[in-house]
Amino acid sequence: MIKAGIIGATGYTGAELVRMLSVHPDVELTVITSRQYEGTPISDVYPALSGRCELVCEAFDTKTFCDRVDIAFTALPHKIPMDIVPGLLEGGVRVVDLSADFRFRNVGQYEDWYQPHTAPEISEQAVYGLCELNRDEIRTARVVGNPGCYPTTILLALVPLLKAGIIKADGIISDSKSGVSGAGRGLSLGSHFCEANESFKAYKVDGHRHRPEIEEVLSAAHGADVAITFIPHLIPATRGMLSTIYCTLADGKTEEDARKALAETYDSSHFVRLREKGTVPDILHVQHTNFCDIGLASDPRSGRLVVMSAIDNLLKGASGQAVQNMNIMAGLDEKAGLY
């Protein structure tokens, strides 16, 4: 059995990790931490976990934590993991980090959009944990930077198309929508029920910090710089995420070429489902699962290809993908503990 620990177990992504790991057939969840709820059973914080996990939240201490785990999940706000992860590695623990701290190969890009990085040497060796596209690197990684939720929808949809030369790299637009849980469990005016219910709006139109994460991976896939227009929106739903991406087909390429490229890329990937022609992804069909559903449509008049991609933002967009990464790192069935 793999001994796992969660640092930051009481946020939405931390709680999802507790739920999945407490019933994972190959994992023993040995320790969970929380500064706010130190000394409190996790089942008191989330009553839905009663009878499933009775662990008590602890204060984090590097040595005592490392003595009890093989792999750590850091479900913490940006900046905190970069201070904790070096000690975990020194203690022989492998890490899946759910913040942005270890997603960027270019540390300068991270610093432009977040804050100064105190562990750049670790960031440079970390593997970007987009499971279906980076399996080989993930298997041997000591640190995996779990992708952001918006990037997961966009990159799974676009990377195979760029690599195969099906679409042009310029003029890509992603119109992306997220449920309110994407804002996290902390209180904020924008996520109050009366503010979000019956509301639908774009936000951070002038630049969302997931954009450089997306562009770094797309540029690597294309072999040259790729710039996209990425506009996120908040929808009045608890969970779920849908990106509708507008691309231009390369000369001589068709929707069927795009469908073939995606089908070949994800032929052995259980958690990516290519929707049949004429059907579109729906967040209702991926909620509470680790699936990413991708659909295609084209407009011959304009040469545009429309790629639609839907996930549960808390699972495939965060904790589910983190467990999938752990499974790959540990040589387990990639589907273990997931559905």
Side-chain angles (χ1 to χ4, degrees), residues 48-332:
L49 293 172
S50 297
R52 173 174 282 185
C53 180
E54 300 302 334
L55 287 175
V56 174
C57 297
E58 305 177 19
F60 174 73
D61 175 79
T62 302
K63 185 180 187 310
T64 57
F65 186 90
C66 290
D67 286 344
R68 290 182 284 169
V69 306
D70 304 310
I71 190 161
F73 295 86
T74 46
L76 298 165
H78 313 303
K79 190 175 183 179
I80 299 175
M82 71 174 76
D83 294 329
I84 290 175
V85 168
L88 296 174
L89 296 179
E90 288 177 12
V93 174
R94 299 172 81 183
V95 178
V96 179
D97 177 44
L98 281 79
S99 80
D101 285 4
F102 299 102
R103 292 175 187 164
F104 288 79
R105 288 291 177 92
N106 184 338
V107 174
Q109 279 275 44
Y110 174 91
E111 294 184 328
D112 287 343
W113 287 84
Y114 292 87
Q115 61 269 315
H117 206 296
T118 59
E121 70 287 348
I122 295 175
S123 186
E124 289 167 3
Q125 65 177 317
V127 172
Y128 189 68
L130 197 60
C131 297
E132 285 75 16
L133 300 177
N134 293 334
R135 282 190 187 93
D136 291 342
E137 295 88 346
I138 292 167
R139 286 190 182 98
T140 57
R142 296 180 67 212
V143 179
V144 168
N146 210 60
C149 46
Y150 282 123
T152 295
T153 63
I154 295 167
L155 296 172
L156 287 176
L158 291 187
V159 166
L161 302 182
L162 275 175
K163 279 189 171 181
I166 305 299
I167 59 173
K168 296 181 179 180
D170 58 312
I172 298 172
I173 300 170
S174 183
D175 181 16
S176 302
K177 290 95 172 173
S178 175
V180 183
S181 60
R185 195 169 184 239
L187 298 179
S188 65
L189 180 62
S191 59
H192 282 190
F193 179 81
C194 291
E195 298 292 329
N197 185 47
E198 299 187 40
S199 171
F200 177 43
K201 60 186 177 185
Y203 66 97
K204 295 187 178 177
V205 177
D206 57 346
H208 190 287
R209 56 192 182 184
H210 278 172
R211 190 183 75 203
E213 178 184 340
I214 296 164
E215 290 179 342
E216 183 176 70
V217 178
L218 291 180
S219 297
H222 180 56
D225 288 345
V226 176
I228 73 167
T229 299
F230 165 58
I231 307 297
H233 299 71
L234 187 69
I235 59 174
T238 299
R239 59 201 298 160
M241 178 169 284
L242 175 72
S243 287
T244 303
I245 310 162
Y246 307 94
C247 321
T248 301
L249 285 163
D251 293 344
K253 300 299 182 180
T254 66
E255 177 185 336
E256 290 311 309
D257 294 324
R259 183 172 295 277
K260 181 180 178 182
L262 289 167
E264 289 177 351
T265 299
Y266 298 124
D267 178 60
S268 59
S269 294
H270 176 75
F271 289 116
V272 177
R273 303 185 297 198
L274 187 58
R275 301 282 78 177
E276 293 181 3
K277 186 176 178 64
T279 63
V280 296
D282 187 327
I283 63 171
L284 184 65
H285 302 153
V286 294
Q287 283 178 343
H288 304 283
T289 80
N290 196 53
F291 287 103
C292 174
D293 284 0
I294 298 176
L296 296 169
S298 59
D299 182 354
R301 300 171 308 151
S302 64
R304 282 283 190 179
L305 178 72
V306 180
V307 190
M308 298 149 282
S309 178
I311 63 171
D312 183 312
N313 56 292
L314 293 180
L315 292 179
K316 187 58 174 170
S319 303
Q321 184 149 237
V323 172
Q324 190 179 355
N325 272 308
M326 179 204 69
N327 288 339
I328 296 170
M329 294 165 77
L332 303 174

